[in-house]
C-alpha cells in the first residue's frame, strides 16, 4: 500500500516536471522587447494600433503568441522567448496592414531592445521639406499646418537639420505657418489637387521654406490708408485681455478703437481676426474663452457700424502657442502673456487695388 502510494507521488511529480518545466525554462529566457509603431509619412507615433504576434516553432508552424495595442507613445512592451522567430502583424483603421519578421536569436536579455515598425496611412498626401538655412537650427522650430476647409490645425516639428515631415488630405488646401526660434515666418498656402495625388501609392510634395520673418507690428505703428496687402499678418500688441477673462483694460480698449479706425480709413480692407490664448487650463476651456473674446470684438465692431463682410473672427485658443509654454510647461506670467494675443491677417487690402 505504502509502495503504491509512493509510486503515485513519483508519477505525479514526473507529470508536473514534464508539463511545466518547459514553461519555467521559457520564463528564464524571455527577452524584454519594445515595439515602436510610427506613421511612415509624418514619423508620428501610431496610437491604438493592433499588434498581433505569432511565434514560429521548430516544425515551421506558427502559433498565436498574443495580441496587443500600442500606447500613447505608439509603443507596446513584450517579453519574447529567446532564440525564436516572430511574425508581427500591425493593423489600424485607415492604415495599410504591415507584416514584419523579427528574430530574438541575437538579442540580450539585459539589453534595451527596441524595434521600429512603420505603418502607411491610406489617406495621406506626403509632405516633406527643409528650411533653407545654412546653420543648424536651435530653439523652438515648427510649422503650423491649418486645413482651410475644416480649420483644424496641426503642429509639425522641424528638426535641428531643418527637415520636417507631415501628412495632408488629397483635395484639401492648407495654410503653412513656419516658426523658427519661436518667431513666426512668412506664411504660405498649398493646394493638394485631386488630379495630382488621387490613387497614387506614395504621393509626395516637396515644400522647402526660406526664412523670412513675418511682419508683426502694433496696429498704431502702421501707416495710413493704402498700406495693407493680402497676406499681411499683424499682432495687435495692445489688444490684450486681462488674465483668463474676456475683459479689456484701458490700453486694450484703445487698441480696439485703433482697429476700428483702420477699418474705416481703409475701406477695401477685409481681415481675419484670430483670437489666441495661453495653454493654462484645458484646451476646451481656452477655445471657449477665445470664442467669448471674439464675440466681444465682433459686438464692438458691429455696434460701430462695421459690416460683417469686412471681418471674420476665428477662435484659435491654445492650438498655436508661440513659445515653449505648452501644456505642463513651467513658464512665467510674461511668457504666458505672449500667447494671449489677437492676430490680424489681411484677406484683402488697399494695396491689392493700386496700379
Amino acid at each position: 500500500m505504502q509502495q503504491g502510494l509512493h509510486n503515485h507521488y513519483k508519477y505525479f511529480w514526473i507529470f508536473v516536471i514534464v508539463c511545466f518545466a518547459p514553461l519555467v525554462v521559457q520564463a528564464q529566457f524571455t527577452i524584454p522587447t519594445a515595439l515602436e509603431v510610427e506613421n511612415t509619412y509624418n514619423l508620428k507615433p501610431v496610437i491604438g494600433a493592433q499588434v498581433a504576434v505569432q511565434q514560429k516553432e521548430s516544425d515551421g508552424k506558427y502559433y498565436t503568441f498574443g495580441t496587443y495595442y500600442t500606447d500613447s507613445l505608439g509603443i507596446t512592451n513584450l517579453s519574447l522567448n529567446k532564440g525564436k522567430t516572430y511574425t508581427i502583424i500591425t493593423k489600424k483603421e485607415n492604415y495599410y496592414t504591415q507584416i514584419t519578421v523579427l528574430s530574438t536569436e541575437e538579442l540580450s536579455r539585459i539589453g534595451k531592445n527596441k524595434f521600429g515598425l512603420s505603418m502607411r496611412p491610406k489617406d495621406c498626401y506626403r509632405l516633406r521639406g527643409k528650411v533653407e538655412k545654412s546653420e543648424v537650427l536651435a530653439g523652438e522650430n515648427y510649422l503650423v499646418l491649418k486645413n482651410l476647409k475644416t480649420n483644424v490645425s496641426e503642429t509639425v516639428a522641424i528638426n535641428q537639420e531643418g527637415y520636417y515631415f507631415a501628412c495632408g488630405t488629397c483635395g484639401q488646401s492648407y495654410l503653412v505657418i513656419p516658426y523658427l526660434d519661436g518667431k513666426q515666418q512668412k506664411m504660405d498656402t498649398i493646394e493638394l489637387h485631386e488630379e495630382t495625388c488621387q490613387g497614387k501609392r506614395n504621393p509626395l510634395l516637396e515644400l522647402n521654406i526660406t526664412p523670412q520673418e513675418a511682419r508683426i507690428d502694433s496696429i498704431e505703428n502702421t501707416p495710413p490708408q493704402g498700406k495693407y496687402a493680402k497676406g499681411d499678418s499683424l499682432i495687435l500688441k495692445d489688444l490684450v485681455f486681462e488674465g483668463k477673462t474676456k475683459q479689456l483694460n484701458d490700453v486694450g480698449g484703445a487698441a480696439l478703437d485703433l482697429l476700428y479706425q483702420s477699418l474705416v480709413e481703409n475701406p477695401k480692407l477685409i481681415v481675419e481676426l484670430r483670437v489666441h490664448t495661453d495653454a493654462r487650463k484645458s484646451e476646451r476651456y481656452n477655445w471657449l474663452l477665445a470664442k467669448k473674446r471674439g464675440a466681444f470684438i465682433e459686438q464692438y465692431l458691429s455696434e460701430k457700424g462695421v459690416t460683417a463682410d469686412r471681418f471674420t473672427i476665428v477662435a484659435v485658443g491654445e492650438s498655436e502657442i508661440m513659445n515653449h509654454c505648452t501644456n505642463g510647461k513651467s513658464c512665467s506670467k510674461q511668457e504666458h502673456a505672449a500667447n494671449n494675443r489677437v492676430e490680424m491677417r489681411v484677406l484683402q487690402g488697399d494695396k491689392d487695388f493700386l496700379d
Side-chain angles (χ1 to χ4, degrees):
M1 179 68 178
Q2 186 175 6
Q3 181 66 29
L5 187 61
H6 175 75
N7 289 336
H8 173 78
Y9 280 116
K10 181 175 71 173
Y11 292 129
F12 171 77
W13 286 113
I14 291 173
F15 173 79
V16 169
I17 292 171
V18 169
C19 293
F20 294 97
L23 298 180
V24 174
V25 172
Q26 178 176 313
Q28 291 175 346
F29 289 92
T30 56
I31 307 294
T33 306
L35 302 180
E36 186 173 16
V37 184
E38 69 176 12
N39 185 311
T40 305
Y41 292 165
N42 62 17
L43 307 185
K44 291 188 174 183
V46 180
I47 300 169
Q50 183 189 84
V51 181
V53 182
Q54 297 178 342
Q55 179 176 300
K56 185 178 181 180
E57 290 303 312
S58 56
D59 60 2
K61 295 182 179 180
Y62 284 85
Y63 82 91
T64 300
F65 186 83
T67 301
Y68 312 89
Y69 292 88
T70 55
D71 61 17
S72 60
L73 298 177
I75 296 175
T76 183
N77 292 292
L78 307 177
S79 290
L80 301 179
N81 294 321
K82 175 70 173 177
K84 295 293 185 179
T85 298
Y86 293 89
T87 295
I88 301 170
I89 305 169
T90 47
K91 296 181 179 181
K92 190 178 181 183
E93 187 179 1
N94 296 324
Y95 284 83
Y96 292 99
T97 298
Q98 178 71 33
I99 301 176
T100 308
V101 177
L102 169 65
S103 173
T104 59
E105 189 67 43
E106 303 297 328
L107 299 186
S108 168
R109 284 182 292 154
I110 60 174
K112 293 183 178 179
N113 305 302
K114 179 180 285 189
F115 289 88
L117 306 175
S118 295
M119 295 190 72
R120 187 164 61 89
K122 291 182 177 180
D123 185 18
C124 174
Y125 193 102
R126 188 177 187 183
L127 306 175
R128 72 180 183 189
K130 185 179 182 182
V131 176
E132 300 295 340
K133 203 170 184 180
S134 56
E135 64 270 23
V136 175
L137 295 174
E140 293 283 327
N141 304 294
Y142 59 94
L143 61 86
V144 174
L145 195 65
K146 178 185 176 182
N147 188 311
L148 294 176
K149 181 178 181 180
T150 64
N151 283 329
V152 174
S153 295
E154 177 188 7
T155 300
V156 178
I158 300 173
N159 65 27
Q160 288 188 334
E161 288 72 38
Y163 291 100
Y164 67 89
F165 305 88
C167 264
T169 301
C170 193
Q172 302 291 310
S173 298
Y174 292 85
L175 180 67
V176 182
I177 314 168
Y179 290 84
L180 301 180
D181 293 332
K183 297 179 181 178
Q184 181 182 326
Q185 307 296 304
K186 186 176 180 180
M187 298 181 294
D188 199 0
T189 55
I190 55 174
E191 295 183 8
L192 308 182
H193 298 289
E194 291 278 357
E195 60 270 21
T196 305
C197 59
Q198 193 66 44
K200 292 188 177 180
R201 177 178 174 82
N202 187 19
L204 175 68
L205 175 66
E206 294 279 359
L207 182 67
N208 293 335
I209 298 171
T210 302
Q212 183 178 346
E213 193 166 342
R215 183 173 149 222
I216 300 176
D217 302 307
S218 172
I219 193 76
E220 61 181 325
N221 294 327
T222 58
Q225 184 173 353
K227 73 157 209 72
Y228 295 107
K230 181 180 179 180
D232 284 350
S233 175
L234 308 94
I235 289 181
L236 311 184
K237 292 182 179 178
D238 295 328
L239 187 52
V240 177
F241 292 82
E242 293 183 334
K244 285 291 188 182
T245 71
K246 61 176 183 178
Q247 301 301 319
L248 287 170
N249 55 24
D250 292 339
V251 175
L256 195 53
D257 288 336
L258 286 167
L259 171 61
Y260 162 70
Q261 291 175 21
S262 291
L263 289 167
V264 171
E265 293 169 3
N266 296 272
K268 294 180 180 178
L269 179 64
I270 300 175
V271 300
E272 178 183 84
L273 300 172
R274 300 173 61 79
V275 185
H276 301 259
T277 71
D278 60 50
R280 290 175 293 181
K281 297 198 174 181
S282 71
E283 183 175 346
R284 176 168 175 76
Y285 178 95
N286 288 321
W287 179 74
L288 291 173
L289 178 60
K291 281 183 67 78
K292 291 177 182 177
R293 291 176 174 177
F296 179 89
I297 296 172
E298 182 177 13
Q299 182 179 359
Y300 171 89
L301 294 176
S302 297
E303 289 178 351
K304 285 281 191 177
V306 181
T307 56
D309 60 340
R310 299 287 310 283
F311 67 95
T312 301
I313 306 288
V314 177
V316 179
E318 64 173 83
S319 64
E320 296 177 12
I321 297 297
M322 294 184 67
N323 51 25
H324 68 287
C325 300
T326 53
N327 283 316
K329 296 291 180 65
S330 177
C331 294
S332 66
K333 288 184 178 180
Q334 291 76 13
E335 289 174 318
H336 280 302
N339 295 307
N340 284 292
R341 66 198 189 278
V342 177
E343 176 188 2
M344 184 179 87
R345 292 183 181 173
V346 178
L347 305 180
Q348 174 183 292
D350 286 73
K351 274 188 176 181
D352 302 319
F353 296 89
L354 298 179
D355 294 330

